[in-house]
Amino acid sequence: MSVLGEYYSFRKIFRDLQKYITVGLKLYQARRTDTDAKFKDLFENLDSLLGPLETQQIKIGERAAEFDFILSDGTRVKANGYRSLLSTLSSLLLQLHQILLKVTKERSSMFFLPGDHISNLTAYCRALEGMNKILENAAVLMDASAQGQLFGEGEVSERLRGIVCSEYIARDVFYGRCLGFQYPSSTRPVIKMLAVAMASYERWYKADKDNPLRQLMHSLWKGNKYLQNPTQMGLKLDDLTLMSSVYFVKAFWSIMEQDVVKAAMGAAMTLISHSVEISHSLEIPAKNIVMEGTKGKVTLTPPFSEQLGYRPIPLLFISNKWRDGQNRGYSSKKQPQPAASGLIVHIHGGGFVAQSPRSHEFYLRTWSQELKTPVVSIDYSLSPEAPFPRPVEECTMAYAWILQNLTLLGTTGEHIVLVGDSAGGNLAVTTAMKILEYGLRLPDRIVTVYATFNLTSAASPSRFLSLFDPILPIGVLLNCMQAYSDVAPSNEEVQRRRDLRNRVLRAKGVYIPDPNVKNVASPSVPRKNPEKERTEAPATDSDESIKKVPPSRPPPPSLAHSSSTQPLLAAADADDDEEEEENRSEDVVVSNGGGGGGSNGVVEEGDRLITVDLSDDSPGTSESGESETRLTEDTTPGTGPETEMVDFVGRQKKPLKKRPVLTVSFGHGHCQTLCLSPKRVK
């Protein structure tokens, strides 16, 4: 089934482009000046590129509809990655059409700038080369894929993984003069300002913060430079997105979390956003949660990791009206509204590494006001400090706590919707799967917005689209996936990719200085490198202070409720201790992050097995009243099957414990592979 007629007529676009190219060749045929010679060469290059590009476009357009999603009632959803590739190709050709129109019809104008038009045509020639390479590989993937299957498998996927990591495409043109070509004209200025901000922020991030005013002025000067020279901005963004660490991405995406910015945004929120009567932070204490499920009583222990230990789980609670059961934090003569029948549980995005519920508060207020229901947003721990599975475990704990405290949140809980965007969409689905595994109440609906599910480097149309996406470039995407999966690229791989990128740019005529050649005429003065200063020295055999044995998991702390939740939970405090005393021996025990409850069990802790004795005299039952947990280490070698983590295109692999993988089928071959947290208690 062909979809060629569903877009702006490609045949007409190619015919119009060919007409302008023919006119351009005639205008600059004489080669009177060097400028005319450059235009002539560019028009000849465009003429040679259009033919192969049209061939690939026709090939993909004839089969794109085969990969549409089919609903259970037979309705065809006309959307997939191949259709998106055709749509972006159409946008690129239309932008080129406007440039050729100016070059051929405004040539005699006094305002005609030949140098600027030569730079634009050069950039679009390289963009067409890159797009042609992407379409060629997309066609190969399409031929090797079953109907409806968007992800490649086997040898084809192995061959295409190189282009997925952008090794053969110089993407600087997509971040420079062709920036945001696939977006509406009203959106491009915003994208351009974000790109300039990211390129300028790199100087601020690496510089010494002793003189912040000077660094701020330098960053502003750099931003003005990138506005005037898009080519330099493209080169800088290409290098940043490909070579920068996840900590740079984390810092840039967290600009909105800075105190000064948060204060300004808070003031703006009261002026331009919907007004709500309740908007404050809560904390779920790091203590066991006992619930009744379909499989019996379930005990969830708070997540634990060596780097973060136990951590209360913060929440952002928003309600359009003060309702029964809610605590406003101050006295009022006004009577509360009846409890709402619904509740929205939100999990924010940010690539698993950045942002918080406060950065999404603007539309959360809108939801609460327009839907007239409370909203709870989970502030889970971020990677790389908290890789998988800790975010899933924290979201599961938070959801279970919400089910226990519906009355205190001002809702009857008749309808619960679990919502997540981007990385939050992944966590929303995996949280629901964990809840189903535990036998607890599932949400009535799950809404995922541009969610990511397949956290592998498998070739797919969406991976090809990310090669020229200015909002989430492929380098940033891989950094976030590696941080969440706890897999980092090796130094050799980073240097190999840098060398390959430089060779591609040099072949395109871009000057790249050779780091091995020193400038003898003007030697550089060595200066401090804050990036190196922030890096710790590697451990040596003689450094005994660095050799530390990882601590065993301590028992969950007996915490009182946090001061931020004390008003809200005052009514429930008296019942918590009684429930824990009655439910010490449960039918089902679930442990998050290696903890356990109930009778004896074996807990996986790093590369060891820890035998946990939780009998009747376990935590909370000693004569002294102190919590006690007896741990004995099993040093049997080879315990627990080990496997390799996902191979991210030559990334350094790290042995981890095998984790179950569940493939969810949505019909017609649209499958998503999700990695679940293992059950720790055996």
Side-chain angles (χ1 to χ4, degrees), residues 514-525:
D514 190 347
N516 298 322
V517 179
K518 297 182 180 180
N519 188 355
V520 181
S522 54
S524 59
V525 179

Side-chain angles (χ1 to χ4, degrees), residues 219-239:
S219 297
L220 294 176
W221 177 80
K222 280 283 188 181
N224 182 56
K225 171 187 173 183
Y226 292 136
L227 281 174
Q228 298 178 10
N229 194 336
T231 302
Q232 290 297 322
M233 181 179 70
L235 291 171
K236 171 58 70 174
L237 288 177
D238 186 21
D239 186 68

